[in-house]
Amino acid sequence: MITLHFYPSPNGLKATIMLEECGLEYRIAYVDITRGAQFEPDFLKISPNNKIPALVDTDGPDGQTQTVFESGAILLYLAERHGGECRTAAERALAQQWVLFANATLATALFVPSNREREFPRLMTVLDGLLAGGHPLIGSDWGVADCAVNAYLAYLPIFFPQIDLSPYPNVQATIAATQQRPAYQQAIGQR
């Protein structure tokens, strides 16, 4: 059984979207960070840096319980273990590239105000070109790279409705397509 220790934040939602995309059964263990639940000893055993999300898979590799914290690590674990992705070193490198881009570069450009002014337009221009045609970022099927990047893009209208995305029509189309995915809708419904 998979348990996702969750709070409805962008990182928590990304992990939930990936669980839904993989079609996995899981349960949510709500961690109320507004009340300090992330500092409770039992949670610190799962996520020693007291951050959500954290995942516990009681049927992990070799039948052992696997604990994973950090949203990017969770996405990559799910992609490899349950999503049929990352079968070769080349596939793994591409998946890692996009997950790290999403969590380090894109997230910083979105959530750090000084970076948003400087980096956001440049990144949106790059992504708009890459997303032309509506194709997945890797291969022919929507996967972990799309989950990592598109989840952040889909948060734009929620967290930053004042940002004008009209110069980026492919980003807008990707946001709309992501928001229509059943996995995204299910994950957002758990907010």
Side-chain angles (χ1 to χ4, degrees):
M1 178 56 149
I2 293 176
T3 301
L4 181 67
H5 296 264
F6 171 88
Y7 184 80
S9 70
N11 287 329
L13 291 170
K14 268 190 305 184
T16 309
I17 292 167
M18 191 65 185
L19 284 161
E20 291 290 333
E21 288 287 346
C22 290
L24 297 170
E25 289 187 29
Y26 63 96
R27 74 176 194 87
I28 293 286
Y30 185 76
V31 179
D32 189 348
I33 64 174
T34 66
R35 296 180 187 231
Q38 72 273 28
F39 299 109
E40 293 178 6
D42 286 344
F43 183 71
L44 291 172
K45 290 176 187 173
I46 298 164
S47 181
N49 68 340
N50 68 53
K51 302 290 183 189
I52 59 90
L55 180 139
V56 177
D57 183 355
T58 58
D59 188 27
D62 301 321
Q64 300 297 309
T65 296
Q66 180 71 52
T67 301
V68 184
F69 62 91
E70 290 293 330
S71 65
I74 291 169
L75 295 182
L76 291 166
Y77 172 78
L78 293 171
E80 187 168 345
R81 176 100 172 115
H82 300 286
E85 297 183 68
C86 304
R87 294 177 300 258
T88 67
E91 289 176 353
R92 193 172 301 109
L94 287 173
Q96 290 169 344
Q97 165 190 282
W98 284 110
V99 170
L100 290 171
F101 166 82
N103 285 6
T105 304
L106 186 56
T108 300
L110 293 177
F111 294 108
V112 177
S114 62
N115 289 346
R116 192 176 322 122
E117 294 170 15
R118 185 179 63 246
E119 281 294 301
F120 181 80
R122 185 185 71 77
L123 289 178
M124 289 301 102
T125 300
V126 170
L127 284 171
D128 200 63
L130 291 172
L131 297 171
H135 304 290
L137 290 167
I138 300 174
S140 59
D141 296 320
W142 207 90
V144 67
D146 305 290
C147 182
V149 172
N150 298 353
Y152 275 120
L153 295 178
Y155 302 148
L156 285 170
I158 298 168
F159 292 105
F160 305 104
Q162 74 282 8
I163 293 178
D164 178 15
L165 295 175
S166 63
Y168 317 109
N170 297 316
V171 168
Q172 287 181 303
T174 298
I175 291 170
T178 300
Q179 290 174 336
Q180 293 304 308
R181 294 185 72 79
Y184 177 86
Q185 293 177 358
Q186 182 67 27
I188 289 294
Q190 295 187 45
R191 278 185 78 192

